[in-house]
Amino acid sequence: MFGRGIKFKDFDFVLLLATLVIFGMGLFVLYSASFEKANVLEKNFTLSQTIWMAIALIPFLVILSMNYINILNIAIVLYVINVLMLIVVLVLGKAFYGAQRWISIGGFTFQPSEFAKLSTILMLSYYMGERKLRNYHIRELFMPVCIVGVPMLL
């Protein structure tokens, strides 16, 4: 599973730099927009966002060290799990701000729709990679539309 990830010489440093620039710009905007509120609420939103970004580096490095073929091999499982979680939201989901999009598990609340976006992309990549068609006709697009349509309707 590990070991055949991206090599240092193949790493896209321009993409990393662009990501860091966008993150830095986002921090600047967040700081300027929440400066007065942070003083009143005694909560530093910029520091909080920076900490979450640092935490996100851990799964980033783990995924970077993995062979992407192994990730695609579990695409079907991830997709099915996410569709099931979206069904659970319809039945047992918590409503916040008028929308029922959240699941609470042991005090931890999350939106399965965020994971469904990634699993749908992986499932489409897996399906299209297996098909290896050069010219797509309308009938060959039925399954990709279904792959996207099921989470979208849920």
Side-chain angles (χ1 to χ4, degrees):
M1 188 170 202
F2 293 99
R4 289 193 47 201
I6 197 162
K7 293 181 175 68
F8 186 76
K9 68 180 176 109
D10 298 330
F11 189 75
D12 191 352
F13 288 102
V14 174
L15 181 62
L16 177 64
L17 180 64
T19 303
L20 292 175
V21 167
I22 291 171
F23 175 68
M25 289 169 36
L27 282 179
F28 177 74
V29 170
L30 182 63
Y31 177 77
S32 64
S34 64
F35 181 73
E36 288 183 22
K37 284 185 180 181
N39 290 338
V40 173
L41 298 175
E42 296 181 4
K43 181 173 182 178
N44 190 337
F45 296 107
T46 309
L47 178 62
S48 175
Q49 189 68 24
T50 305
I51 290 170
W52 280 110
M53 182 63 172
I55 291 170
L57 281 175
I58 296 168
F60 170 76
L61 293 173
V62 169
I63 291 171
L64 192 64
S65 68
M66 295 173 69
N67 186 352
Y68 76 94
I69 299 295
N70 293 329
I71 297 171
L72 286 179
N73 287 338
I74 60 171
I76 296 172
V77 174
L78 291 174
Y79 182 78
V80 170
I81 288 170
N82 278 290
V83 167
L84 292 174
M85 284 196 312
L86 290 171
I87 293 170
V88 168
V89 166
L90 288 176
V91 178
L92 304 172
K94 302 274 186 200
F96 291 106
Y97 302 113
Q100 186 172 337
R101 298 181 186 143
W102 302 82
I103 294 178
S104 291
I105 299 175
F108 179 71
T109 306
F110 68 98
Q111 282 184 299
S113 61
E114 296 302 320
F115 297 108
K117 292 173 191 175
L118 180 60
S119 69
T120 302
I121 292 168
L122 289 173
M123 185 63 192
L124 272 175
S125 300
Y126 174 79
Y127 178 78
M128 301 296 256
E130 289 293 314
R131 298 287 300 195
K132 294 183 174 103
L133 294 176
R134 290 273 186 212
N135 299 323
Y136 284 94
H137 300 287
I138 197 76
R139 68 176 183 265
E140 282 96 12
L141 295 177
F142 176 75
M143 194 60 180
V145 167
C146 289
I147 290 170
V148 173
V150 170
M152 186 179 75
L153 291 173
L154 292 173

